[in-house]
Amino acid sequence: MSVRTTTDRKDVVSPGSVFWKRHEHHINNIRNFGPSNELEIKKQRKKNSYFRNETVKYLQFLVPENCRILALGCGDGETLARLKPCYGLGVDINQGYIEFARNRYPDHEFLVADIEDPEFLKGLVNQEPFDVILLEDTLGYLEDVQAFLRCLG
């Protein structure tokens, strides 16, 4: 088994690179994976309600209220909102999720973005620091977890 590591960051973000073309295909698959409208999102929430509630209870034990939370891969925004941050920023690639989250949780900020884009992550890192970065059910969807974490650091 071979492990691909990225040493030249310019190769990763160059729009003409093989990685970039593969990444665009990967992102389009993720974009189209989740529910795209409110009815589908509510149906999915109901189906997964027990697991979601247990996850949130555990996170509420770990994460104090009134802190700054960055939720990468935030989905419909429910977990972020239930953690009751003083400032919450949720990011997801799925437009349907973000529209739902913006309507349902107007006290928080939600962005549609590719969280693997190094320039986007650099912009987040340059903001006021976050107390918590939440990656709930996100890492398995990333193309290169090591490069992603390096960009966050």
Side-chain angles (χ1 to χ4, degrees), residues 7 9 22-23 28 33 52 59 88 98 102-103 105 109-110 124 127 144 148:
T7 55
R9 297 299 304 157
R22 191 177 74 227
H23 182 70
N28 286 331
F33 173 73
R52 290 174 67 117
L59 287 170
I98 294 301
R102 286 176 179 158
N103 291 330
Y105 310 109
E109 187 176 349
F110 295 96
L124 289 178
Q127 288 189 20
D144 187 338
F148 169 77

Side-chain angles (χ1 to χ4, degrees), residues 108-125:
H108 306 295
E109 187 176 349
F110 295 96
L111 303 174
V112 176
D114 175 2
I115 63 171
E116 291 186 89
D117 177 357
E119 295 303 315
F120 175 73
L121 288 176
K122 191 185 303 181
L124 289 178
V125 170

Side-chain angles (χ1 to χ4, degrees), residues 30-151:
I30 294 171
R31 231 181 236 126
N32 298 324
F33 173 73
S36 59
N37 62 53
E38 187 171 343
L39 182 63
E40 289 177 9
I41 291 170
K42 286 181 177 180
K43 184 177 171 183
Q44 183 185 41
R45 288 170 70 142
K46 185 176 181 180
K47 178 180 162 188
N48 300 326
S49 64
Y50 177 79
F51 174 75
R52 290 174 67 117
N53 284 332
E54 291 301 307
T55 299
V56 169
K57 283 181 199 174
Y58 184 63
L59 287 170
Q60 287 170 331
F61 170 74
L62 296 173
V63 178
E65 290 182 8
N66 296 314
C67 59
R68 293 175 52 84
I69 300 175
L70 170 62
L72 298 173
C74 70
D76 64 17
E78 178 186 16
T79 301
L80 175 63
R82 288 180 61 187
L83 292 176
K84 301 178 183 166
C86 65
Y87 174 71
L89 173 59
V91 182
D92 203 282
I93 196 75
N94 185 303
Q95 180 75 36
Y97 274 141
I98 294 301
E99 287 174 7
F100 181 87
R102 286 176 179 158
N103 291 330
R104 186 101 175 195
Y105 310 109
D107 293 341
H108 306 295
E109 187 176 349
F110 295 96
L111 303 174
V112 176
D114 175 2
I115 63 171
E116 291 186 89
D117 177 357
E119 295 303 315
F120 175 73
L121 288 176
K122 191 185 303 181
L124 289 178
V125 170
N126 291 333
Q127 288 189 20
E128 187 176 331
F130 290 94
D131 302 309
V132 174
I133 298 176
L134 183 62
L135 300 166
E136 180 189 17
D137 196 23
T138 300
L139 292 178
Y141 292 99
L142 300 178
E143 183 85 21
D144 187 338
V145 175
Q146 184 177 359
F148 169 77
L149 294 174
R150 200 176 309 123
C151 286

